[in-house]
Amino acid sequence: MAKMNEKITAVSKGMKTEGVSGEHKVVIDEPAKMGGTDEGANPLATLLVSLAGCENAIANFVAKEMEFDLQGIDFEIDGELDPRGMMGEEGVRPYFQKITVNATVHTSESEERLAQFQETIDSRCPVYTTLKAADVEMIPNWVKA
C-alpha cells in the first residue's frame, strides 16, 4: 500500500482557527473566558473528538475483518492534564497525563470477542497509538450496551 499523507490548511485570527481538509471545515476556538469567541470546541476537546472518530473508523475496518457484529459505538472520553504546563510553568508537561476512553458498543458479540475487538482497534488506531507513544496513560473501558 502506498504511503498516505494528510494535509490541511488553516487561517487563525485571535483564538479562533478555521481549518480546511478537502471540502470540510473545522472550527477550533476557546470560550470567551479564555479570550476566544466560543465558535468551536477548544483544541484539546477537538483532539479527544479526533480520538473517538479514529477509533470508530478503525473499529469499522476491524469489524469487517473479524466478522464482528458492530451496530455502533457511543464514546465518552475524559482527558486529564495539569493546566500549569500550557501556561508555562517549568517541569509541568503541557499535554494530557491520562485519557479514559469509555466506549459503549452496540453488539450481540461475547465479552471475549469485545475484548479482542477493543485491543485490535487500540493497537491500530493512529490517534490512540500517537497519544500512547507520547506517554499518555490510556485507559480503555469498553463495555457492551
Side-chain angles (χ1 to χ4, degrees):
M1 185 178 272
K3 286 188 180 180
M4 191 174 131
N5 290 338
E6 286 293 332
K7 182 177 180 180
I8 62 102
T9 58
V11 176
S12 299
K13 185 173 183 184
M15 290 288 204
K16 179 179 152 185
T17 298
E18 289 189 9
V20 178
S21 171
E23 299 295 317
H24 307 285
K25 182 162 71 168
V26 177
V27 177
I28 298 174
D29 201 356
E30 290 286 346
K33 69 180 181 186
M34 296 291 288
T37 54
D38 204 24
E39 293 180 53
N42 71 47
L44 293 171
T46 304
L47 179 61
L48 297 180
V49 172
S50 293
L51 173 59
C54 190
E55 292 251 289
N56 179 62
I58 299 299
N60 278 273
F61 298 147
V62 171
K64 281 189 176 81
E65 292 168 15
M66 287 178 61
E67 297 181 358
F68 185 94
D69 172 34
L70 177 61
Q71 300 161 19
I73 307 173
D74 301 328
F75 290 96
E76 185 178 290
I77 301 178
D78 180 45
E80 293 178 25
L81 74 143
D82 186 334
R84 297 174 303 164
M86 67 180 164
M87 300 314 277
E89 188 165 320
E90 287 286 320
V92 179
R93 81 184 206 189
Y95 58 98
F96 289 118
Q97 273 90 29
K98 176 167 71 172
I99 296 175
T100 304
V101 178
N102 293 308
T104 302
V105 182
H106 300 270
T107 184
S108 62
E109 299 282 355
S110 68
E111 294 291 342
E112 293 77 20
R113 288 263 294 167
L114 177 60
Q116 179 188 10
F117 184 61
Q118 172 261 310
E119 288 169 13
T120 304
I121 293 160
D122 288 348
S123 71
R124 288 173 48 182
C125 172
V127 177
Y128 189 99
T129 55
T130 297
L131 291 163
K132 194 167 178 145
D135 198 31
V136 176
E137 181 186 356
M138 301 298 289
I139 302 171
N141 181 28
W142 289 51
V143 297
K144 284 177 62 165

